[in-house]
Every structure is written in C-alpha cells, then in structure tokens.
Amino acid sequence: MAFDGFVISNITKELNDKIIGGRIYKIYQPESDEITLVIKKERVTYRLHLSASASLPLVYLSDESKTNPMQAPNFCMLLRKHISSGRILSITQPNFERIIEITIEHLNELGDVCQKRLIVEIMGKHSNIIFADHNDLILDSIKHISANISSVREVLPGRTYIYPPSKDKQSLSSLTTEDFYTKILKKPLSLCKTLYTSITGMSPLIANELCYRAGLDGNASTDSLSEDSAAGLYGQLIKLNTLITDHDYTPNIVYSGDEPKEFSCISLTSYPDCTVKKFDSIFDVLTGYYSEKEKYTRMKQKSSDLRKIVQTALERTSKKYDLQIRQLKDTEKREKFRIYGELTQTYGYNLEPNAKSLTCTNYYTNTEITIPLDPDRTPLENSKKFFAKYNKLKRTYEALSQLTLETKSDLDHLDSISTALSLSENEKDLQAIKEELTDYGYIKKRGSKGSKNTSKSKPLHFVSSDGFHMYVGKNNYQNDELSFKFANGGDWWFHAKNMAGSHVIVRKEQAETLPDATFEEAGRLAAYYSKGRQAPKVEIDYIQRKELKKPPKSKPGFVIYHTNYSMMCIPDIAGIEEIK
C-alpha cells in the first residue's frame, strides 16, 4: 500500500473542496494517537479523523462515530481551549511531503483574531499530530519526541517546529532534465529505488508503476538504461507531474481475487492479473481499502486455528489412506498362496523329505510352476501354511476394502471443509465450519451441547442476466440445506466435477427451461466457488435437483447423481462481479 505524497496531495485537494471555511464544532480524542474534528459547513457536518498510529496513520473524512473516553486527554483539552469554534482557513501540503497543515483562525481570551496550525505528519512509526502557533512555536503534540528519542529533531512544547529532514530529495515539480540525468540516473541503484529515494513523495509503488509504463524493469540498474529508455522514463515523470498539477486523480484499489492488494490516487496498470476498482473519492478508497483489508486479515487470523486443525487432519488422513492403499495392494497376492496351498496338497505326496521346492503343473493356467517350500515342514504343513497366509490376506482385504472407502470419504469431507474455509466471508461462516468439525470429532466438544448456528450464515445470492435467482452454498451444511430443503425438484443444480466446491442452485420459477446465458453464469459460479478457482477452466456437472440422491448416513454436502450434463467454465472474478 502507498500512503505517499501523491495520495496526500489528493487528500489535501478534497479537504480543500469540502471543509475550507468550515467551523470546528467538536473535538474528540478516541485513541491516544488519534483526533476527530467535527466540522460544520453550510449545514453539512463532516468528521475529519487524524490518526498518528504507528501501524496505520491516516487522514480521512467519514460519517463514522467512534467511542470516546469519559475524560478527555490533555492534548484534546488543549485543542478545545484554543480552536473550538475556529474556522479552517487553509489546508496545505508543504513541498509535497507526507504532511498536511491545517491553518485555523480563532479568537483568543481577549477576543483578538489568532491563527494556529494543526500539523499531521504521516510517516509510519514516526507519525505525529503537532499543534503550533503562527510563529511555529509548538504548543503540544500527540507524541512527545525528546533528544533521547531523536537526535535529529525534538518535538516538545516550547520548541520551534521544523520540518522533518528531506534526505536530499527533490520535488517532482522542480525536477529538470539536467537533474534527472546528472543526479538521479547517476545513483548506482535499481531504477525503482532510484526514483523513490530521489523524489519527494514518491513511493516504491508509484516508482514501479512509472517503470512499467515506460516498458522497463524496475529492478534493472540505472547503468543498463539506454538513451531512449531514459527519455521514456523521464517522459513518464513529466506526465505524472502534469497529472498532479492538474489534480487529475483516479482513486482506485487493486484486488487480487477478493483481497485488496494496493491502492493509489493514480491509475495502476502494473497489475495485469488483478482487478482494479475505481472510486469517486480518495476517502472512499481509504475507508474501503483499510476496512476490507482489516476484514480480510481478521478473517485470516480467526480462521488460522481452524485451518491448522483441518490441515493436520488432512495430512493424517492422507497418510492413513496411502498406508491402507499400500496394504490393500499387498493383499493382491492372496490368490497366489491359495493356489500354492492347493497344488502342494495335490502334488506333494511324491516329494522327497526336506524338499525345498515343488515343480508341478498349475491346472488353472496349464503352465509349469515352481513353489518354494519350507524344508523343515511336511508337504501338508507347507500347504496349511499357504492357506493360513491366504486366509489372513483375505481377511485383511475384506477389512481394508471397507476402511479405504471410509478413509477416502473422510479425506473428501476434509477437502470440502478446507475449500469452505477459503470461501468464508464472516465469523458466522467460520462458526458453521467449526460446528461441522466438532460434530465429526475433529474438535473436542466443550460444555453442554448448544443449538447450531448454521442458519445464521446465509448462502450467497446472485441474479443472472436473465433475472433468475442463483444461490451458492459456502459450507457443507449450507450445501445440504440448499440442495435438499430449499430447492424444488425442477430447479437446476451445478457443481465442479470430481472436486470440492459449492452447490449452486438456480431457481427455475415458472420458466419451462433456463436460458443459455444463465446456464453459463451458474457454471461460472460453481467453478469460481470450488477448489479449482485458480485453474484456467473447470468442468461443471449440472442436473435437475430431482435427480440428486443423498445416501443414508453420508457426510454433509455429499450427493450422488447420474445422467448429468457437463460444460467447461472459466472461474473468473470479473464474470462474478457482473452478476453480484
């Protein structure tokens, strides 16, 4: 993600458009490192959130109301004393740095007009919110930085505010051709690193984007640039400067599947395999990106324990299944011992004492066979030994034939649960999966048996381009519910062939048959919500619901069917978004 100088520039522009001239109505400090300003302008109320969090520094407008402490902290009280009812005069970004300065006009105790500045520094773990007067004297800051913490710059009440060191970076607006060729390209670094270490506000994300647009590898060294390539890269910098100067922003989020990957205020073309979603406001991008990222991360964390349980069970069951298959293969030689026993019993009467083998005709194949014997045993004893081996292998075969079926069923069941975990969207989905794991003994039951919460988790609902309702189960219990309780006999059922995945039900309603487009869209859903999501194409089985059967005592989500139809579908997210 890139909360860089360009995003700050976009934020500053939108704040100027919306809240310049507005009055500060209320001031809150919901967190130790966060301030909320409630601003009223022309009968519209805005909430400006300023966060100096080390992990997630942000400046954004939203309607979100946060819980505030009963007693306001000292920094909040100081702001209320000075700038309550103050009017916002200007919002600026000095020298394209990751800094936003808010200049506020207010009346002091004597009724004189004064100005104060609220300076928000968005710099990762060094982020801060600083309150200063018109003479750059620091009145207070949300984080105090003493000389013991930083030898470069103190941020303490009574000190003069100075900007953070620029590290010899140059602003994009003042970059000349000579500077580009004699300073930037002379650095012995990769192209990407050269750009973001030389230009103020530039992030690795934008540096890589510029290289991509110029047809260059961002990891290539500056020495490898030809004259034409250098000119092309400089041309991209000029275009970027024009875009920023004209405030021609394109707020967008890049998605890898359902996960938000990056965001920017500039179109990102360097992610051809991802989906790009554009927004009207940079604040919609920030709230959307971080809320979705937090949701995705939180879901990943909360599902990690379940994933570990399922993965461990999968590994154990897989090893058990492989061992059973090997043992079952060993029983294939049981018939050999039965034949040895019969032939030894038939031809052993004329063997010499202590014979080590018996050569005779196998009357089953009419071929000569040599049977190894134990010289210390009589022919009858050797025959009994062969029959004993045969009977043992036969019993093993009969037992393993059933056990392998049961183990394969467990393996398929766990595979379907693993796929369901990847489809989970909220905690209710995880709860349904946890209950299933508990019901089948993978998680130990604790306390009294409560009622199931699977009904709280709802299937996904889509409407086809022809107006037909389509439903997608997100776990095995939902799949059973959809297929055998919700669907009617004439409805259509879709599922990925020979792999774990969701049951997709298309309600036929009063129509005689489904249009081809609906069949294709339902197949695409079944492909995307399956284990084959990453495959280029997935074979989909489809059949009317009345043709499905649920075997007695079978695991949830398991069905049998015959005389089905099949088609190949592409599991692309773009197609799913069209019918969401």
Side-chain angles (χ1 to χ4, degrees), residues 20 27 66 71 80 97 147 161 242 281 306 342 448 490 568:
I20 287 295
I27 303 171
K66 299 189 176 183
Q71 184 172 355
R80 288 177 179 177
E97 291 282 2
Y161 175 76
T242 302
S281 168
L306 294 180
E342 288 183 5
S448 59
M568 299 301 294

Side-chain angles (χ1 to χ4, degrees), residues 442-470:
Y442 297 108
I443 296 178
K444 192 177 292 185
K445 291 185 180 180
R446 293 183 180 179
S448 59
K449 187 176 180 181
S451 60
K452 292 185 179 180
N453 295 320
T454 51
S455 60
K456 296 181 181 178
S457 175
K458 296 182 179 179
L460 298 171
H461 178 218
F462 299 85
V463 179
S464 76
S465 55
D466 299 303
F468 289 86
H469 292 272
M470 303 183 289

Side-chain angles (χ1 to χ4, degrees), residues 44-203:
V44 179
T45 301
Y46 300 93
R47 283 182 171 82
L48 177 59
H49 302 280
L50 313 174
S51 172
S53 167
S55 59
L56 190 59
L58 277 175
V59 174
Y60 64 102
L61 286 174
S62 83
D63 298 328
E64 177 187 11
S65 294
K66 299 189 176 183
T67 304
N68 299 294
M70 294 293 291
Q71 184 172 355
N74 292 337
F75 186 69
C76 180
M77 294 297 289
L78 181 69
L79 294 181
R80 288 177 179 177
K81 175 184 175 182
H82 286 278
I83 59 174
S84 280
S85 301
R87 187 167 65 91
I88 297 175
L89 292 181
S90 67
I91 301 173
T92 58
Q93 179 189 19
N95 198 30
F96 230 68
E97 291 282 2
R98 289 178 294 167
I99 299 173
I100 295 178
E101 291 188 5
I102 304 174
T103 303
I104 303 160
E105 182 182 75
H106 68 100
L107 299 178
N108 63 12
E109 294 90 341
L110 301 177
D112 298 328
V113 177
C114 299
Q115 289 185 10
K116 297 287 190 303
R117 284 192 303 157
L118 203 54
I119 305 162
V120 187
E121 297 179 348
I122 309 296
M123 298 180 176
K125 65 180 181 180
H126 304 296
S127 299
N128 208 342
I129 301 174
I130 302 163
F131 188 48
D133 65 11
H134 65 287
N135 293 318
D136 291 333
L137 183 71
I138 297 175
L139 301 178
D140 203 354
S141 61
I142 209 160
K143 295 178 184 176
H144 290 179
I145 310 298
S146 65
N148 294 330
I149 299 173
S150 173
S151 59
V152 178
R153 185 180 68 134
E154 283 189 320
V155 181
L156 293 170
R159 298 286 194 272
T160 300
Y161 175 76
I162 57 175
Y163 291 118
S166 63
K167 298 180 181 178
D168 298 324
K169 290 186 179 182
Q170 189 169 353
S171 68
L172 187 60
S173 58
S174 64
L175 182 68
T176 64
T177 308
E178 183 181 355
D179 292 334
F180 178 72
Y181 283 97
T182 61
K183 294 181 181 178
I184 294 180
L185 292 188
K186 292 300 179 182
K187 292 185 176 181
L189 301 170
S190 67
L191 291 177
C192 187
K193 191 170 185 178
T194 297
L195 292 178
Y196 72 74
T197 56
S198 304
I199 300 174
T200 305
M202 181 78 69
S203 64

Side-chain angles (χ1 to χ4, degrees), residues 137-286:
L137 183 71
I138 297 175
L139 301 178
D140 203 354
S141 61
I142 209 160
K143 295 178 184 176
H144 290 179
I145 310 298
S146 65
N148 294 330
I149 299 173
S150 173
S151 59
V152 178
R153 185 180 68 134
E154 283 189 320
V155 181
L156 293 170
R159 298 286 194 272
T160 300
Y161 175 76
I162 57 175
Y163 291 118
S166 63
K167 298 180 181 178
D168 298 324
K169 290 186 179 182
Q170 189 169 353
S171 68
L172 187 60
S173 58
S174 64
L175 182 68
T176 64
T177 308
E178 183 181 355
D179 292 334
F180 178 72
Y181 283 97
T182 61
K183 294 181 181 178
I184 294 180
L185 292 188
K186 292 300 179 182
K187 292 185 176 181
L189 301 170
S190 67
L191 291 177
C192 187
K193 191 170 185 178
T194 297
L195 292 178
Y196 72 74
T197 56
S198 304
I199 300 174
T200 305
M202 181 78 69
S203 64
L205 176 68
I206 300 303
N208 184 69
E209 174 66 23
L210 294 179
C211 292
Y212 182 83
R213 291 184 181 186
L216 303 173
D217 181 3
N219 294 319
S221 67
T222 53
D223 295 337
S224 65
L225 272 188
S226 65
E227 188 174 334
D228 289 343
S229 296
L233 185 57
Y234 182 65
Q236 291 299 329
L237 286 168
I238 296 300
K239 288 180 181 178
L240 178 61
N241 183 53
T242 302
L243 185 149
I244 299 301
T245 304
D246 295 343
H247 302 300
D248 187 15
Y249 303 109
T250 308
N252 64 96
I253 299 177
V254 176
Y255 291 87
S256 177
D258 294 329
E259 180 185 6
K261 189 177 182 69
E262 296 286 358
F263 73 87
S264 182
C265 63
I266 295 161
S267 292
L268 298 176
T269 61
S270 53
Y271 294 90
D273 297 330
C274 296
T275 305
V276 179
K277 185 177 180 181
K278 296 181 180 179
F279 294 80
D280 295 329
S281 168
I282 189 64
F283 298 125
D284 292 337
V285 166
L286 295 176

Side-chain angles (χ1 to χ4, degrees), residues 229-407:
S229 296
L233 185 57
Y234 182 65
Q236 291 299 329
L237 286 168
I238 296 300
K239 288 180 181 178
L240 178 61
N241 183 53
T242 302
L243 185 149
I244 299 301
T245 304
D246 295 343
H247 302 300
D248 187 15
Y249 303 109
T250 308
N252 64 96
I253 299 177
V254 176
Y255 291 87
S256 177
D258 294 329
E259 180 185 6
K261 189 177 182 69
E262 296 286 358
F263 73 87
S264 182
C265 63
I266 295 161
S267 292
L268 298 176
T269 61
S270 53
Y271 294 90
D273 297 330
C274 296
T275 305
V276 179
K277 185 177 180 181
K278 296 181 180 179
F279 294 80
D280 295 329
S281 168
I282 189 64
F283 298 125
D284 292 337
V285 166
L286 295 176
T287 53
Y289 177 86
Y290 286 110
S291 63
E292 289 181 40
K293 191 75 173 177
E294 182 187 13
K295 171 187 168 184
Y296 187 88
T297 304
R298 185 174 65 249
M299 280 293 295
K300 205 167 184 179
Q301 290 172 342
K302 293 199 172 186
S303 66
S304 62
D305 289 343
L306 294 180
R307 289 180 188 278
K308 188 175 180 181
I309 290 169
V310 173
Q311 188 59 36
T312 301
L314 267 171
E315 290 173 359
R316 288 177 179 172
T317 308
S318 182
K319 288 179 181 177
K320 179 181 176 183
Y321 183 67
D322 290 342
L323 178 61
Q324 288 174 348
I325 291 295
R326 288 198 301 271
Q327 290 175 335
L328 191 61
K329 192 172 182 63
D330 289 340
T331 65
E332 292 176 358
K333 56 189 177 183
R334 65 188 181 280
E335 288 300 319
K336 178 183 74 171
F337 291 110
R338 181 181 64 80
I339 293 171
Y340 281 1
E342 288 183 5
L343 294 177
T344 304
Q345 197 174 53
T346 302
Y347 297 110
Y349 62 89
N350 59 355
L351 277 175
E352 295 180 3
N354 302 322
K356 294 183 178 180
S357 63
L358 167 64
T359 301
C360 61
T361 300
N362 182 354
Y363 43 70
Y364 287 104
T365 60
N366 237 5
T367 57
E368 191 175 87
I369 186 172
T370 299
I371 303 171
L373 299 174
D374 183 349
D376 295 329
R377 296 174 185 263
T378 66
L380 182 59
E381 289 173 339
N382 272 292
S383 177
K384 288 181 177 179
K385 184 185 76 170
F386 288 137
F387 281 126
K389 282 186 178 181
Y390 163 72
N391 288 321
K392 182 179 180 182
L393 290 174
K394 182 182 177 184
R395 289 193 300 271
T396 303
Y397 169 77
E398 291 170 350
L400 284 175
S401 294
Q402 182 60 33
L403 285 174
T404 50
L405 290 176
E406 293 173 359
T407 307

Side-chain angles (χ1 to χ4, degrees), residues 497-524:
K497 189 179 186 70
N498 296 329
M499 67 174 67
S502 297
H503 292 198
V504 177
I505 293 293
V506 181
R507 298 303 294 264
K508 197 176 75 166
E509 305 298 344
Q510 304 302 317
E512 291 185 10
T513 185
L514 299 181
D516 290 345
T518 298
F519 273 107
E520 292 173 5
E521 289 164 358
R524 200 181 303 151

Side-chain angles (χ1 to χ4, degrees), residues 4-19:
D4 53 26
F6 304 115
V7 171
I8 298 292
S9 173
N10 193 174
I11 290 173
T12 305
K13 173 66 169 58
E14 288 199 31
L15 289 178
N16 273 284
D17 292 342
K18 292 181 178 179
I19 64 172

